[in-house]
Amino acid sequence: MAKRQLAMVMDLNKCIGCQTCTVACKTQWTNRNGREYMYWNNVETHPGAGYPRNWMEAGGGFDDQGNLKDGIIPDMVMDYGVPWDYNHDEIFNSSADEFVLSPNTDPVWGPNWDEDVGIGDWPNSYFFYIPRICNHCSNPGCLAACPREAIFKREQDGIVLVDLERCQGYRYCIAGCPYKKIYFNPKISKSEKCIFCFPRIEKGLPPACAHQCVGRIRFVGFLDDEESQVYKLVHKYKVALPLRPDFGTQPNVYYVPPVLAPPKFDENGKPIENEQRLPMEYLEKLFGPEVHQAIKTLEEEMAKRERGEESELMDILIAYNHADMFRLDHNYYEKIAAEQGLKGSEYFKIVDVRYIQGANTKKVEGVFGKVYFETQPALKKEEENKEHH
Amino acid sequence: MALSRRDFLKALGASGAGITLGGNAAFAKQDAIIVEDPRQSYPNTSYTENMYRGEFSYTYGEKEDHGTAYHCVNCQGNCAWDVWVNNGIITRENQVANYTPINPKIPDFNPRGCNKGVQHSHVTYEKDRILYPLKRVGKRGEGKWKRITWDEAITEIAQNIYETMLKKGPEGLFIHVGAGMLTEARGAAGKRLGTLLGAVRNYIASYVGDMFPGVTVVYGEGNIGCSYDFFYTTNVNIWWGQDPNKTRIPDAHFLWEGRYNGAKNIVITPEFNSTCIHADLWVPVKAGYDGFLAMAIINEIIQKKLYKPKFVKHFTDLPFLVRLDNKKLLRLEDIDPEKSPELDHEVFKIFEEKGEGKEFEPHATFFSWNTKTNKLTVMPGTEGAPVKTLRLKDVGWDIDPALEGEWEVTLKDGKKVKVTTVFELVKKEAQKFAAEKTWKLTGVHPTIVEQLAKEIALPKVVMISMGFTIGKYFNGMLAQRAIASIPGLVGRLGPYGGFNTENEWAISGMGKLSGFAGKYKQRFASGFVQEYVLGNMLKDVEKLYDDEDIRRATGLSKEEYLKKVKEDLDNFGNDEKWKENFHNKDGKPYWDTVETFLIFADSRFRRNKGATYREAFLKKAKFFAYVDWRMNSTAQYADIILPAKSMYEVWDLRTNPGYHRYANMAQPPQNLKPIGEAKSEWEICTMIVEKIQELAMKKYKETGDEKYIKIPDPTHSKTGYRELDKLVEEYTKGGHLRTDRDAVELALESVDQFKPNTIETIRKRGGFLQLNEKAGKTSPLYPDKPYNSFENNLYLFERFETLSGRLTYYVDHDRWIEAGAAVPTAKEPIRPKRYPFVLMTPHARWSIHSTYKESSLLQRLQRGVPYIMINPEIAEKKGIKDGDEIKVFNNLGEFYAMAKIYPSCPKDAIIIEHGWEPFYFKGNISHNTVNASPLNLLELSDAWGHLKFGGNWDGNQHAYETTVDIEKA
Ligand code: SF4
Ligand code: SF4
Ligand code: SF4
């Protein structure tokens, strides 16, 4: 196992399906070089086919015995969707009566084709959003499937990467990943995938999808850092669960399951008490049997807050301070860099000091004890007052 | 650049069904270093890592080079972005995410910015970017352009403006800044030019149908409410006709964080939208029946005595007396204050004494019946009362006005009339809409009405937020008013919540950018009637709505209705009529004298309803110049197109709307490589005034005749003239205001609420400043609390900007009385019954109106072509499958789009998100073709109290009032 593991928690009660994350990742990594069709981060409407289409039925992952299961490579046209372009330039030389701005290939499927569709029928329809990135699994199906051992987990943080020097483009990894989160790059004939934005993290900037998530649903930190929200949500409160744990890859992206939904209506339009819009079986399929306890915990803590009581869990999920959602432990990366002889390297120069706390953060004595990062004066003041009294 | 589909298929070497690969297949591992377990350790990782590290460094560039920006289109987000740049090319953008938290117990506003903003870098370099000044060389719309120099372009525009001024005067000009540029600094360039020349422009909000006239009726202004962090602190939030998860993306987190903090979210919309999914209650109201539901709630609140009498007596006109003989409010002019036997003469005198020289205005002074003295008592705080406070008890008076009862009052001529309270009349009207009676119309079960009334009345803090859709129905103004009337009954102002449309900050001093200290009056035209003036809307209305439709919605026959509309329209049309009738007669100001058009950032041809607008407009436009950064369906028909800079290339400042307390500053990245020959609007306008002055001076020097530099303008210039020899001096403030950067500097110097700040302090922070305490209009802006309107009214008893000085429930304009709308009420939609489906066109998640609709990155996350959402049951009946092309039609026309089967769509409606440019559709015919926008006579009314044409009182274009049928194409 990698020495430490970075993780992300996504709160599905807060996700608004805006796809800011998707586009942020795209402009950071996948708008070029054969990656155009890839969505290292996608957001899909559930219940639904997802992206690539029907990925949950496309095999890969491990069976109960720990054997890798067969899988398929999704189809470019019908499952991923071809990234069409437009005849934008023709508007300058066509008559307005004739010009039609149109895709250069007939769209038949795409990464968000069934946006907001879900299930049921008005007024009792239902849907919610699941954003997905590579899970940087502890037991990656992609890695196990690669005959060249060209996929590895970074020792320092467990990020799963394809060694592009070694990768020969066999694409077994795609079949082997049950989440279909590794992609074939036709331009370089190698596989590529979400890299958890490690180059950003190494410089003190959270992953693009998480940092730029405007719904503020994503927490990033090390799972062994007991002060991190990911630790608390995953281990302490156990409200953050992996997606499809039955696939056996041990994901390191976790989800707070959706608990909020309005009542359904009877045929007279009267709200029906105690009937879920979203069947529990569906949530159980997605998040495993633990989902019951997680939902119970969430409901109990929400009820506390409604009564005006304190709840640490609610405080975490509310995330008062956006900067506090990320604990990137920059001191740790500096140490690694030094060990690798990369000290002083451009790649580790901090570009942003707001997110770099972590288990290895040096605590410097200040007037009231700790010294905090200057960028968070509100927090600093509050803590100082607390200590003062 | 994306690979084409064929390339991809080739590269993949596979198509059709996916290929199956065995997971454990053995493979020859030639020449590879042996790796024991790549989960544990891996020998050499640097090739891959350094490649990605290099890519990141490339996109990030150097921090010092970065720009700051936000998107100035008609999106209300106003989010600060860090613009990354490498070697002069913009690579991407990342939210600044540095807004200072105001309180450790309230979530901050980071990282503000949405899915559209996050790809502006991409469209900045898209191929529809206008790079050079272009001159039309074929017929209009033929698509034949010639690249010309800036000087040639500016000369042609200046010549046309000058000729029109000489021939027709300023009223021949139309200079308009559209919804594509809603910022204070940048948008002011074109506005300043228009105001200086005396050109006509119309209000934007009403033109795009985003005004809140019904809210103005009640509160005296339409844009009121809170900063979005307020929603975190409430007990209940009601989202009426709104989908904040889609249309308030940067602020939506406050809803769900508020939920975790114990606040309920209730959504009232016909479709089960993306906000409903996590709401506590969704109320599926039938499209266009929101007003009926609001009235049912009002009835429930009154019948169950959930209203707050003490509040209502102070802050509403509900205790005011109404004459039963003519339904008019009882005014001071009706009685003889000397002789009236019922009047409390003592209070009357004290008001005169305390008035500090102010006298009663008999037409705007009103009464209640004081239960303490059992006398007719003049009310303080009205527009015509010398005493301006809303206090009912003060030195010298103690009024406890009756809410219910009937009395007799002696008029001037000795005649006696019966009077009652507004409250009694509201109560009576509301009874007509009791939940049991309106259930079948609204689709809302009475138990829900009961619940809503309680949720609104009982908790400590409740906020009703209303979206733009409500005003898009023909009787939407009445629905807005009915909804806005609810919170006043239950005592909600300031800290107790109330009503939210869009908060606006006070930014005094900004007027310096667009105005001339009152020297010139802007020729403001109505946005409401634009389609009638520049287009042929009346014809479409006549065609679409039959007598029965119009009777149902107005109570008038088609003939009567059309006659009145035409009469109202006829009250305006030029300077002369304006002078005669402005604030005097019903109708809305407009000028059909316009012939030379200069339009900035307004894709109007994609917005106009009906099929004939464009043709009519182009016939009117002798000359039409258009300024924008991208080609659109309006630019396609221009005579001259000028390339504007887009959002990351200019200096700009934006404050409003007041969703948050920060003003953002745009500063272009250092060393940015120019994109084509684009220029900022400030530079463009400066060039235009220079050229006009040059032309005028030349003519003057040639002839010695002053008429070539002095254009008469008796109605809109204090001097009576527009002096063309002083244009440059005036426009540039003596040379100090020529560029976009000058504008930003002037704004920073002039606006009180920005102090203390300079470009440097703002840049350091990440491109924004925090407004100081003076920014609150009707409440203080506390340093550590979210903002909400009307705290000053609640605690300091300040009057509202209404005729009664209070929240207004009674409008006794003759036309309103005639229409049965003196008190809040609801009326049926006008949409034809001949077709089965309401066409709903809500704001999209994917575009700000038409802006960003053409982005390939965003289209790939939709369906690439316009699509229509249809309920599955309806689709099945019609034999329509997902992905089919369908025809949508009524007797105005037809258009084609892709079907999307959508379970959350009601069965009596179909949904197409708005903003699609016509050129996305077959035959250049969009969804607006099947729509007409009828004028509501109440919205046309004027000259009553605070209902006078202006930024708060125009009407809305009605986008939701058509029905259609569909079939598989
Ligand atoms: S999600 Fe898929 S690609 Fe990512 S580590 Fe797990 S198995 Fe590999
Ligand atoms: S972590 Fe980075 S690479 Fe991975 S999905 Fe998010 S933005 Fe994309
Ligand atoms: S940006 Fe955040 S809220 Fe928006 S879709 Fe992505 S994960 Fe959800």
Side-chain angles (χ1 to χ4, degrees):
Chain A
M1 292 296 268
K3 271 196 235 147
R4 299 185 76 195
Q5 182 66 50
L6 266 173
M8 193 183 290
V9 171
M10 305 193 201
D11 180 355
L12 300 184
N13 291 296
K14 287 174 84 174
C15 181
I16 59 175
C18 65
Q19 309 264 6
T20 308
C21 48
T22 307
V23 184
C25 175
K26 181 136 289 284
T27 60
Q28 183 68 78
W29 303 114
T30 63
N31 61 356
R32 54 186 177 267
N33 299 343
R35 300 181 194 140
E36 290 84 347
Y37 85 96
M38 302 177 196
Y39 288 87
W40 292 358
N41 179 103
N42 75 293
V43 182
E44 53 200 41
T45 301
H46 275 264
Y51 165 85
R53 196 166 66 125
N54 295 330
W55 62 268
M56 277 198 234
E57 274 77 56
F62 302 91
D63 64 18
D64 296 343
Q65 267 70 54
N67 293 321
L68 195 57
K69 292 200 278 191
D70 286 356
I72 63 164
I73 297 175
D75 180 65
M76 174 54 61
V77 181
M78 293 310 298
D79 298 331
Y80 290 112
V82 175
W84 54 80
D85 273 312
Y86 290 87
N87 50 338
H88 281 117
D89 45 342
E90 284 174 27
I91 192 170
F92 287 104
N93 50 29
S94 336
S95 130
D97 285 342
E98 280 151 31
F99 174 69
V100 180
L101 184 73
S102 37
N104 57 355
T105 167
D106 276 345
V108 288
W109 186 257
N112 197 24
W113 193 261
D114 55 0
E115 178 183 25
D116 292 7
V117 170
I119 47 159
D121 195 3
W122 187 96
N124 289 328
S125 54
Y126 192 69
F127 60 93
F128 67 98
Y129 307 106
I130 302 188
R132 297 201 308 120
I133 64 172
C134 162
N135 292 301
H136 298 276
C137 306
S138 292
N139 183 29
C142 58
L143 181 154
C146 176
R148 278 187 62 85
E149 262 109 33
I151 299 179
F152 62 96
K153 268 180 93 63
R154 295 217 309 179
E155 225 175 302
Q156 62 267 46
D157 50 20
I159 290 174
V160 175
L161 294 178
V162 181
D163 180 345
L164 293 174
E165 222 172 6
R166 255 167 105 93
C167 174
Q168 294 284 346
Y170 298 152
R171 287 169 278 160
Y172 285 87
C173 52
I174 301 173
C177 169
Y179 301 94
K180 297 293 167 274
K181 272 292 164 189
I182 185 159
Y183 305 81
F184 180 66
N185 182 328
K187 224 172 184 172
I188 57 171
S189 275
K190 289 172 197 294
S191 288
E192 279 193 288
K193 59 181 285 300
C194 156
I195 57 174
F196 213 76
C197 283
F198 73 85
R200 288 175 63 116
I201 288 180
E202 287 170 350
K203 285 163 122 15
L205 210 53
C209 58
H211 187 224
Q212 300 190 244
C213 165
V214 62
R216 301 152 55 97
I217 82 156
R218 302 186 183 211
F219 303 87
V220 178
F222 284 91
L223 274 179
D224 61 357
D225 173 2
E226 294 190 9
E227 277 179 62
S228 72
Q229 303 90 330
V230 294
Y231 171 84
K232 287 183 185 161
L233 294 169
V234 173
H235 294 309
K236 184 169 172 193
Y237 291 100
K238 301 191 187 340
V239 291
L241 307 168
L243 182 62
R244 295 303 303 256
D246 54 312
F247 286 158
T249 63
Q250 300 164 27
N252 287 303
V253 172
Y254 299 83
Y255 296 90
V256 177
V259 290
L260 301 167
K264 284 169 105 170
F265 298 99
D266 68 15
E267 65 282 5
N268 289 321
K270 201 172 156 191
I272 313 171
E273 302 289 328
N274 304 324
E275 198 187 318
Q276 289 286 328
R277 260 182 198 263
L278 175 66
M280 264 315 274
E281 305 84 74
Y282 191 73
L283 292 182
E284 206 181 301
K285 177 183 165 199
L286 294 179
F287 304 110
E290 271 76 36
V291 76
H292 295 278
Q293 183 54 43
I295 287 180
K296 203 165 152 246
T297 307
L298 285 162
E299 283 175 346
E300 279 167 8
E301 296 293 316
M302 280 167 70
K304 271 194 201 165
R305 206 54 182 248
E306 275 164 48
R307 297 192 299 267
E309 295 164 25
E310 289 290 307
S311 162
E312 189 200 24
L313 177 58
M314 290 299 110
D315 282 343
I316 295 172
L317 293 175
I318 288 167
Y320 299 102
N321 206 319
H322 176 247
D324 287 351
M325 300 178 81
F326 313 105
R327 284 174 63 84
L328 305 182
D329 207 356
H330 195 265
N331 288 113
Y332 173 66
Y333 279 103
E334 274 174 2
K335 226 163 61 191
I336 300 283
E339 277 167 25
Q340 295 182 354
L342 293 169
K343 206 164 186 231
S345 152
E346 171 65 18
Y347 296 135
F348 293 84
K349 224 162 72 193
I350 301 181
V351 295
D352 210 319
V353 295
R354 295 173 291 178
Y355 316 103
I356 58 181
Q357 305 92 315
N360 292 274
T361 305
K362 286 182 213 118
K363 302 236 162 72
V364 187
E365 291 294 307
V367 190
F368 297 118
K370 293 174 196 165
V371 154
Y372 294 86
F373 296 99
E374 272 309 315
T375 49
Q376 294 171 300
L379 179 75
K380 179 179 165 189
K381 216 165 135 215
E382 196 204 10
E383 291 282 326
E384 280 172 3
N385 287 342
K386 238 192 265 159
E387 281 166 34
H388 223 44
H389 295 309
Chain B
M1 225 217 303
L3 285 174
S4 74
R5 168 180 163 181
R6 212 187 46 241
D7 293 341
F8 257 112
L9 297 182
K10 210 162 57 192
L12 274 164
S15 73
I19 30 166
T20 304
L21 290 178
N24 287 322
F27 240 87
K29 299 176 183 174
Q30 325 113 324
D31 310 326
I33 311 163
I34 303 298
V35 180
E36 287 298 326
D37 182 357
R39 288 178 301 178
Q40 306 281 6
S41 67
Y42 199 77
N44 181 8
T45 64
S46 56
Y47 174 84
T48 299
E49 287 176 324
N50 289 345
M51 184 191 101
Y52 288 119
R53 284 169 181 152
E55 271 192 48
F56 174 72
S57 296
Y58 180 84
T59 57
Y60 192 77
E62 296 295 330
K63 176 80 193 170
E64 305 76 63
D65 290 347
H66 289 188
T68 63
Y70 54 86
H71 307 97
C72 70
V73 272
N74 188 11
C75 157
Q76 312 296 59
N78 194 13
C79 314
W81 290 89
D82 181 11
V83 180
W84 296 6
V85 66
N86 193 316
N87 199 19
I89 304 289
I90 296 159
T91 55
R92 73 189 291 277
E93 54 282 89
N94 209 96
Q95 290 99 323
V96 171
N98 204 30
Y99 291 123
T100 334
I102 59 160
N103 183 322
K105 282 288 164 204
I106 295 174
D108 63 23
F109 277 92
N110 300 313
R112 232 187 146 65
C114 77
N115 54 343
K116 300 164 285 289
V118 74
Q119 55 82 61
H120 187 80
S121 55
H122 172 80
V123 297
T124 298
Y125 298 106
E126 189 50 88
K127 291 201 206 85
D128 60 356
R129 185 74 204 248
I130 302 165
L131 297 173
Y132 313 104
L134 296 174
K135 182 182 160 69
R136 171 174 65 83
V137 287
K139 285 200 230 67
R140 274 180 177 162
E142 211 187 349
K144 293 194 173 137
W145 302 98
K146 188 176 132 206
R147 179 176 166 184
I148 55 175
T149 66
W150 268 103
D151 189 57
E152 285 166 338
I154 295 291
T155 305
E156 186 156 347
I157 292 168
Q159 253 161 2
N160 275 282
I161 291 176
Y162 185 45
E163 271 162 30
T164 295
M165 285 185 96
L166 287 177
K167 200 175 77 205
K168 285 199 148 185
E171 64 174 342
L173 301 176
F174 189 93
I175 299 181
H176 182 66
V177 180
M181 206 198 304
L182 280 192
T183 57
E184 286 116 12
R186 188 177 183 191
K191 290 178 185 166
R192 184 174 180 83
L193 178 68
T195 307
L196 178 63
L197 297 176
V200 176
R201 78 163 178 265
N202 59 259
Y203 282 114
I204 298 175
S206 49
Y207 186 43
V208 303
D210 284 353
M211 206 176 242
F212 297 105
V215 181
T216 298
V217 174
V218 184
Y219 289 88
E221 53 188 318
N223 290 58
I224 58 172
C226 58
S227 53
Y228 262 67
D229 44 357
F230 190 85
F231 293 108
Y232 174 79
T233 65
T234 52
N235 299 100
V236 174
N237 299 318
I238 309 237
W239 303 95
W240 203 319
Q242 213 175 351
D243 186 359
N245 269 8
K246 246 189 210 149
T247 61
R248 295 288 166 262
I249 288 173
D251 294 298
H253 65 93
F254 288 114
L255 273 75
W256 313 114
E257 286 154 2
R259 182 64 189 85
Y260 282 145
N261 192 33
K264 270 188 190 170
N265 286 301
I266 298 175
V267 186
I268 306 178
T269 50
E271 79 284 15
F272 185 75
N273 67 32
S274 70
T275 307
C276 301
I277 64 172
H278 292 153
D280 293 90
L281 177 69
W282 167 53
V283 182
V285 64
K286 287 227 173 83
Y289 285 92
D290 304 86
F292 287 72
L293 176 60
M295 291 304 294
I297 294 172
I298 290 176
N299 180 59
E300 182 75 15
I301 288 173
I302 294 177
Q303 293 306 322
K304 297 276 166 72
K305 300 221 173 335
L306 293 167
Y307 59 93
K308 306 244 176 1
K310 198 171 160 208
F311 178 91
V312 159
K313 289 173 185 179
H314 278 89
F315 296 105
T316 74
D317 66 353
L318 289 166
F320 283 27
L321 298 177
V322 180
R323 293 170 53 165
L324 285 177
D325 62 334
N326 61 5
K327 303 234 179 88
K328 290 268 186 184
L329 286 158
L330 183 70
R331 289 173 160 81
L332 180 53
E333 66 190 7
D334 293 332
I335 65 160
D336 183 341
E338 303 287 313
K339 296 196 197 126
S340 167
E342 299 89 7
L343 183 69
D344 186 332
H345 296 278
E346 212 174 303
V347 174
F348 190 80
K349 273 205 202 86
I350 286 168
F351 275 21
E352 271 182 333
E353 282 160 23
K354 299 259 169 192
E356 291 166 4
K358 285 195 206 84
E359 284 178 13
F360 279 110
E361 290 167 35
H363 186 67
T365 304
F366 306 94
F367 300 94
S368 73
W369 198 270
N370 188 356
T371 57
K372 292 213 163 144
T373 55
N374 202 24
K375 279 184 180 159
L376 179 68
T377 308
V378 66
M379 289 297 265
T382 63
E383 211 170 271
V387 169
K388 291 301 177 200
T389 179
L390 293 183
R391 257 177 244 282
L392 293 180
K393 189 175 173 178
D394 209 324
V395 197
W397 69 88
D398 184 3
I399 309 168
D400 182 9
L403 282 178
E404 287 164 290
E406 211 179 282
W407 303 270
E408 234 177 28
V409 171
T410 312
L411 300 181
K412 255 185 194 155
D413 59 5
K415 236 173 58 193
K416 288 185 191 286
V417 289
K418 289 219 165 86
V419 295
T420 187
T421 61
V422 172
F423 183 80
E424 290 270 22
L425 299 174
V426 171
K427 183 165 124 186
K428 211 165 118 199
E429 181 70 12
Q431 273 171 335
K432 295 184 199 159
F433 296 89
E436 289 288 346
K437 286 185 211 160
T438 44
W439 174 20
K440 288 284 167 307
L441 285 176
T442 60
V444 179
H445 195 273
T447 58
I448 301 181
V449 175
E450 212 175 293
Q451 186 188 347
L452 285 171
K454 280 193 213 143
E455 301 275 20
I456 292 169
L458 301 178
K460 187 163 174 233
V461 190
V462 179
M463 201 62 173
I464 300 180
S465 185
M466 186 180 76
F468 294 119
T469 53
I470 306 295
K472 293 194 165 68
Y473 294 98
F474 175 73
N475 277 313
M477 187 275 290
L478 285 178
Q480 288 182 337
R481 175 205 192 189
I483 298 169
S485 294
I486 299 172
L489 293 169
V490 292
R492 304 214 169 274
L493 293 175
Y496 301 105
F499 197 65
N500 176 65
T501 54
E502 295 201 302
N503 171 45
E504 243 170 41
W505 302 118
I507 36 171
S508 43
M510 200 53 104
K512 280 195 188 161
L513 284 190
S514 56
F516 297 84
K519 183 173 175 192
Y520 304 118
K521 203 179 264 159
Q522 171 62 38
R523 281 183 171 79
F524 271 122
S526 160
F528 184 36
V529 304
Q530 281 297 306
E531 313 266 358
Y532 289 74
V533 181
L534 302 176
N536 277 330
M537 187 51 77
L538 206 53
K539 274 208 185 114
D540 289 331
V541 166
E542 280 181 63
K543 198 166 162 192
L544 184 60
Y545 305 105
D546 63 20
D547 191 61
E548 198 273 321
D549 300 328
I550 293 174
R551 275 181 200 276
R552 184 177 357 104
T554 67
L556 301 174
S557 72
K558 186 169 177 175
E559 202 187 327
E560 285 169 290
Y561 165 77
L562 289 172
K563 191 170 149 249
K564 288 199 180 200
V565 167
K566 283 177 200 159
E567 274 169 21
D568 277 4
L569 286 173
D570 211 35
N571 285 338
F572 290 92
N574 52 39
D575 279 347
E576 223 169 289
K577 290 186 179 178
W578 181 88
K579 203 173 150 208
E580 189 114 317
N581 296 333
F582 190 56
H583 288 343
N584 237 339
K585 279 206 177 152
D586 293 333
K588 302 283 177 191
Y590 66 90
W591 281 262
D592 65 1
T593 43
V594 290
E595 60 171 35
T596 290
F597 291 75
L598 171 60
I599 292 178
F600 299 83
D602 176 18
S603 188
R604 53 178 53 210
F605 293 165
R606 74 102 191 125
R607 188 187 311 113
N608 305 112
K609 319 286 180 279
T612 58
Y613 179 93
R614 188 175 54 222
E615 206 188 308
F617 176 92
L618 292 173
K619 219 158 121 196
K620 235 185 170 67
K622 204 188 93 222
F623 176 77
F624 172 30
Y626 185 72
V627 189
D628 213 325
W629 54 276
R630 69 175 183 99
M631 206 50 189
N632 60 32
S633 56
T634 304
Q636 277 182 302
Y637 292 88
D639 300 327
I640 297 270
I641 305 176
L642 297 182
K645 287 184 171 172
S646 99
M647 288 75 148
Y648 296 171
E649 302 143 49
V650 284
W651 289 85
D652 198 357
L653 253 175
R654 181 171 193 187
T655 319
N656 277 318
Y659 292 5
H660 58 59
R661 60 176 69 199
Y662 311 97
N664 290 319
M665 183 185 82
Q667 175 176 21
Q670 313 268 324
N671 312 317
L672 181 67
K673 291 206 175 111
I675 298 170
E677 291 182 357
K679 284 190 194 296
S680 78
E681 289 77 9
W682 278 100
E683 294 168 285
I684 292 171
C685 291
T686 302
M687 287 161 70
I688 292 174
V689 288
E690 283 172 345
K691 189 57 84 179
I692 298 173
Q693 181 165 334
E694 185 190 314
L695 294 172
M697 289 307 289
K698 193 168 158 233
K699 199 89 187 174
Y700 172 58
K701 278 186 191 139
E702 277 167 19
T703 60
D705 191 341
E706 272 215 333
K707 76 174 188 202
Y708 289 110
I709 50 168
K710 276 185 103 167
I711 309 291
D713 187 355
T715 54
H716 288 77
S717 166
K718 270 195 181 156
T719 62
Y721 290 97
R722 303 279 167 169
E723 285 150 302
L724 303 188
D725 55 335
K726 301 203 180 83
L727 280 187
V728 180
E729 173 71 18
E730 284 197 87
Y731 187 82
T732 65
K733 286 188 186 284
H736 295 301
L737 184 55
R738 301 176 61 92
T739 65
D740 43 342
R741 183 176 173 140
D742 294 344
V744 167
E745 279 175 356
L746 181 67
L748 286 177
E749 275 163 34
S750 314
V751 177
D752 256 2
Q753 289 81 356
F754 290 169
K755 302 223 157 108
N757 266 299
T758 62
I759 285 176
E760 276 61 47
T761 61
I762 297 174
R763 175 169 172 83
K764 230 177 177 171
R765 220 176 279 125
F768 67 91
L769 61 87
Q770 186 165 326
L771 299 172
N772 64 32
E773 69 291 347
K774 293 179 191 152
K777 265 191 183 167
T778 52
S779 298
L781 176 57
Y782 297 107
D784 59 347
K785 269 198 265 178
Y787 180 85
N788 188 29
S789 301
F790 303 129
E791 195 173 311
N792 297 346
N793 309 72
L794 181 66
Y795 291 144
L796 306 177
F797 294 93
E798 286 179 8
R799 64 186 303 279
F800 292 82
E801 296 300 320
T802 57
L803 179 63
S804 64
R806 293 157 171 79
L807 303 184
T808 297
Y809 290 76
Y810 205 81
V811 177
D812 67 351
H813 187 296
D814 290 334
R815 182 175 283 182
W816 290 55
I817 295 174
E818 243 167 72
V823 289
T825 188
K827 288 184 188 294
E828 290 266 353
I830 197 170
R831 62 192 180 227
K833 293 229 162 161
R834 322 193 277 287
Y835 306 102
F837 307 109
V838 185
L839 182 69
M840 304 209 296
T841 54
H843 286 160
R845 172 183 278 143
W846 294 107
S847 64
I848 310 297
H849 310 287
S850 58
T851 306
Y852 303 130
K853 213 61 154 191
E854 281 79 67
S855 162
S856 52
L857 288 191
L858 296 183
Q859 277 301 337
R860 289 174 197 162
L861 293 166
Q862 305 166 63
R863 291 199 166 190
V865 294
Y867 55 92
I868 296 218
M869 290 170 263
I870 304 168
N871 180 281
E873 195 182 303
I874 302 301
E876 208 194 307
K877 265 192 210 143
K878 295 265 179 189
I880 293 167
K881 285 194 296 300
D882 192 280
D884 283 351
E885 185 183 45
I886 60 164
K887 179 170 116 179
V888 180
F889 60 96
N890 62 19
N891 68 329
L892 283 185
E894 60 188 46
F895 70 95
Y896 295 81
M898 183 196 280
K900 174 169 171 177
I901 309 302
Y902 188 62
S904 294
C905 180
K907 293 172 213 251
D908 57 358
I910 60 171
I911 304 172
I912 179 167
E913 288 167 336
H914 94 146
W916 297 97
E917 298 269 11
F919 55 60
Y920 255 117
F921 298 83
K922 206 159 130 181
N924 205 19
I925 297 171
S926 82
H927 57 290
N928 281 323
T929 308
V930 297
N931 209 342
S933 177
L935 298 173
N936 185 311
L937 288 167
L938 296 175
E939 277 174 293
L940 278 172
S941 70
D942 207 273
W944 182 91
H946 53 284
L947 303 188
K948 294 197 179 107
F949 175 76
N952 281 307
W953 183 246
D954 196 0
N956 274 321
Q957 297 219 19
H958 301 122
Y960 274 37
E961 284 292 5
T962 193
T963 46
V964 291
D965 205 348
I966 52 175
E967 66 188 33
K968 204 176 152 180

